[in-house]
Amino acid sequence: MLDLTLVAATDAALPTEPARVRHLIDGGWRDSADGATFERTSPAHGVVVTRAAKGGAAETDAAIAAARDAFDDGRWSELSGKARATLLLKVADLIDRDRERIACIETLEAGKPIAQARAEIEGAADIWRYAAALARTLSGESHNSLGPDMLGLVLKEPIGVAAIICPWNFPFLIVSQKLPFALAAGCTAVVKPSEMTPSTTAILGELLMEAGLPAGVVNIVLGHGEPVGAMMTTDPRVDMVTFTGSTAVGKAIVAAAAPTLKKVSLELGGKNPQVLFPDADLDSAIDAIAFGVYFNAGECCNSGSRIIVHEDIAETVTERVVALSRKVAFGDPLDEATQVGAIVSPAHQQKIDGYVKGAVAAGATVRLGGAPLDVPGLGGQFYQPTVVADVTPDMAIAREEVFGPVLSVLRFRTMDEAVELANGAAYGLSAGVWSENVHTCLEFTRRVRAGTVWTNTWMDGFAELPFGGMKESGQGRELGRYGLEEFLEVKTVQMRIGRTRAPWVTGRG
Ligand code: NAD
């Protein structure tokens, strides 16, 4: 008997038949021209919960054409910021109204706990409201100091048609970190959710139509990277691609977008360290470590998947993390009490297990877990809370994204060593530092190469604050004012005042 906290299958009713979802193209709901569909099976419950139209070349082409026409005729980009903001606020209210419906299907498709799905939908509505505020306050620059005969203006204009490609781990949140900013800027869009989690994006499409968004401004194509995603990244009618997903696909997208030189904005993977100095507040840090690694079953770009602990406290910290991990509730995502749900697919579960086995073969020690988990009444597509100690920086588990509930423990002696270990991975998404000494926190914060640094906390997030990665964690930023800038072009205007221009050809002194 495992000494873990398990939540057995609930008696909550599963859907009697799969949800049917279709593409949204030019304001209409469409099946695929060839009738192709794909299914999504709930990873926790093993039943088919969604049957979706499977996009091909015809649907992708039609969606891109609709977005291009909608942008070029100005039906959205020429509306005032006030009009755009009013619509975004309406969408936020509709998301709130439908929170339970969206959260339920997200839980079934992604395997995440229902309580966390609800929080995700609530957070997404907040982002739509924040983007509405940006739509009304969007402005450029004026330059009134260029001399008496010149006025300079810097206009911010929508970049055009945005291709938005999303992953499966936070499907509704991530589309909401992109689409409302694109719309606030005046862009039109083609959106592709992950093939694992198509439904919530389709529901968002329904809400956009209900809110009165003009046809063609947002188009949604369901399906796989090939051909849908690939066409969205190569088509010359698309002006930019914003992608969240794996670093491997991100690199492929940069290459695919190069021939048309479209702008590419990328939110990719992470191997995020939390560094603990000896004077850290351990009660807070241990809880944040558990939260950091088990939240969303570790299937999280911000997963705090490695801790770098001063050797004086490393054994205490490891023991306390193991003890707390046993109390984290793993099990049926439909149960309110569950904190960690299922792993998204059998293939991904094997990948997680492979990292743990590889670490053991390389000399690491499993202090907790290290194997798939059978939850009573459900299938075995879960993974045990896992703590791996004696990890060295050369091991794959220390450098690569495991994307599961697996923590690596590394040790350091000096600040220089801590910084070197933290910066040793190719990723640079986020990092954390725990110390009661502000000088220690600030020195680490300045020296670490990461897009976000949490000091004495982990994984807080605000619509106001930009988010994104350095190095192979991506390029560009989402959220905050920077999130809007991604979707804007800059146009410089130079206006001569009076007939003061010195002739170039005639009348030269
Ligand atoms: P993925 O890269 O496999 O897929 C992401 C999306 O890209 C899917 O919609 C997929 O269909 C599509 N796609 C696949 N091949 C494509 C191609 N050749 N061209 C265009 N589109 C293509 O990623 P995933 O497994 O869905 O998500 C997990 C990854 O996402 C992890 O690496 C995680 O770190 C990352 N992620 C990053 C952030 C962030 O903000 N930095 C947030 C969440 C997830």
Side-chain angles (χ1 to χ4, degrees):
M1 183 66 185
L2 288 169
D3 183 13
L4 300 173
T5 305
L6 298 186
V7 182
T10 63
D11 51 11
L14 291 166
T16 48
E17 56 185 70
R20 278 287 284 126
V21 282
R22 295 183 292 167
H23 315 293
L24 174 63
I25 298 171
D26 207 12
W29 295 97
R30 290 204 206 161
D31 283 314
S32 290
D34 61 2
T37 59
F38 64 98
E39 291 179 343
R40 175 63 180 153
T41 298
S42 165
H45 310 95
V47 299
V48 175
V49 288
T50 306
R51 185 165 298 121
K54 183 178 177 188
E59 293 70 44
T60 315
D61 181 68
I64 294 171
R68 185 76 256 166
D69 287 350
F71 184 77
D72 290 345
D73 71 15
R75 75 187 80 160
W76 179 250
S77 61
E78 289 177 11
L79 292 187
S80 66
K82 177 180 169 183
R84 293 206 286 262
T86 303
L87 188 128
L88 297 184
L89 290 172
K90 208 180 275 179
V91 175
D93 289 345
L94 295 175
I95 293 171
D96 283 341
R97 184 197 69 190
D98 284 3
R99 183 187 307 156
E100 195 60 23
R101 173 184 171 219
I102 304 169
C104 279
I105 188 72
E106 176 134 326
T107 287
L108 291 172
E109 287 184 348
K112 68 176 60 192
I114 184 72
Q116 286 167 24
R118 284 190 194 114
E120 184 184 328
I121 311 311
E122 193 179 347
D126 178 57
I127 299 175
W128 281 80
R129 292 195 175 92
Y130 175 72
L134 292 183
R136 280 199 89 156
T137 51
L138 168 58
S139 64
E141 299 166 21
S142 63
H143 291 258
N144 200 29
S145 306
L146 304 172
D149 54 355
M150 181 59 66
L151 178 65
L153 298 177
V154 181
L155 304 183
K156 302 279 180 80
E157 299 183 344
I159 197 165
V161 175
I164 296 179
I165 302 176
C166 296
W168 47 262
N169 57 346
F170 295 94
F172 200 81
L173 185 72
I174 288 173
V175 74
S176 298
Q177 292 187 178
K178 299 174 186 292
L179 185 57
F181 294 85
L183 292 175
C187 293
T188 62
V190 179
V191 183
K192 191 193 95 58
S194 167
E195 56 275 22
M196 309 253 209
T197 52
S199 291
T200 54
T201 303
I203 293 175
L204 180 60
E206 286 176 25
L207 304 184
L208 289 166
M209 292 297 100
E210 184 179 343
L213 187 76
V217 174
V218 172
N219 305 274
I220 299 168
V221 187
L222 311 172
H224 293 72
E226 188 59 55
V228 184
M231 284 179 69
M232 288 165 69
T233 54
T234 50
D235 194 297
R237 294 169 292 177
V238 172
D239 298 293
M240 81 170 279
V241 182
T242 167
F243 169 80
T244 298
S246 61
T247 293
V249 173
K251 288 178 180 176
I253 285 177
V254 171
T260 50
L261 277 187
K262 47 175 91 347
K263 178 174 177 180
V264 179
S265 157
L266 302 169
E267 298 291 339
L268 308 175
K271 189 71 198 176
N272 315 297
Q274 298 208 55
V275 176
L276 278 74
F277 285 86
D279 64 340
D281 165 13
L282 287 191
D283 289 344
S284 301
I286 304 288
D287 185 78
I289 290 165
F291 169 57
V293 72
Y294 300 130
F295 179 69
N296 219 48
E299 295 167 333
C300 188
C301 57
N302 267 329
S303 168
S305 56
R306 53 184 180 136
I307 55 172
I308 300 173
V309 191
H310 192 277
E311 63 178 11
D312 289 354
I313 55 169
E315 191 48 39
T316 307
V317 167
T318 309
E319 282 169 16
R320 289 186 61 178
V321 170
V322 167
L324 194 65
S325 299
R326 295 186 191 281
K327 297 187 180 157
V328 179
F330 279 59
D332 190 342
L334 289 173
D335 193 307
E336 304 282 338
T338 295
Q339 292 174 287
V340 182
I343 300 300
V344 75
S345 68
H348 188 56
Q349 192 187 33
Q350 277 173 19
K351 188 176 155 202
I352 295 169
D353 202 40
Y355 274 113
V356 178
K357 302 263 183 316
V360 171
T365 316
V366 172
R367 299 285 292 267
L368 179 72
L373 174 65
D374 271 318
V375 172
L378 296 174
Q381 207 172 294
F382 294 80
Y383 204 81
Q384 295 181 22
T386 298
V387 178
V388 185
D390 304 318
V391 173
T392 51
D394 53 305
M395 296 178 189
I397 204 169
R399 288 181 284 108
E400 295 173 21
E401 199 179 33
V402 176
F403 231 53
V406 177
L407 180 71
S408 294
V409 184
L410 295 98
R411 297 179 179 218
F412 76 93
R413 282 181 300 272
T414 63
M415 169 68 85
D416 284 351
E417 271 177 25
V419 171
E420 192 182 328
L421 285 168
N423 288 340
Y427 293 112
L429 189 59
S430 56
V433 54
W434 291 86
S435 165
E436 295 295 284
N437 184 326
V438 68
H439 306 288
T440 305
C441 291
L442 282 176
E443 181 177 349
F444 178 82
T445 298
R446 284 194 155 164
R447 293 177 65 184
V448 72
R449 297 263 294 139
T452 296
V453 186
W454 285 290
T455 75
N456 296 316
T457 184
W458 187 257
M459 219 159 25
D460 303 291
F462 297 90
E464 290 84 349
L465 297 181
F467 175 70
M470 296 183 182
K471 302 197 287 183
E472 293 196 15
S473 287
Q475 55 196 30
R477 292 291 181 269
E478 294 187 341
L479 302 174
R481 294 194 161 273
Y482 295 87
L484 182 70
E485 295 289 332
E486 291 291 329
F487 296 97
L488 294 170
E489 277 284 14
V490 168
K491 182 179 282 174
T492 302
V493 183
Q494 302 179 31
M495 299 173 71
R496 185 162 289 281
I497 300 163
R499 303 205 181 281
T500 55
R501 183 175 176 276
W504 189 64
V505 181
T506 56
R508 285 181 293 156

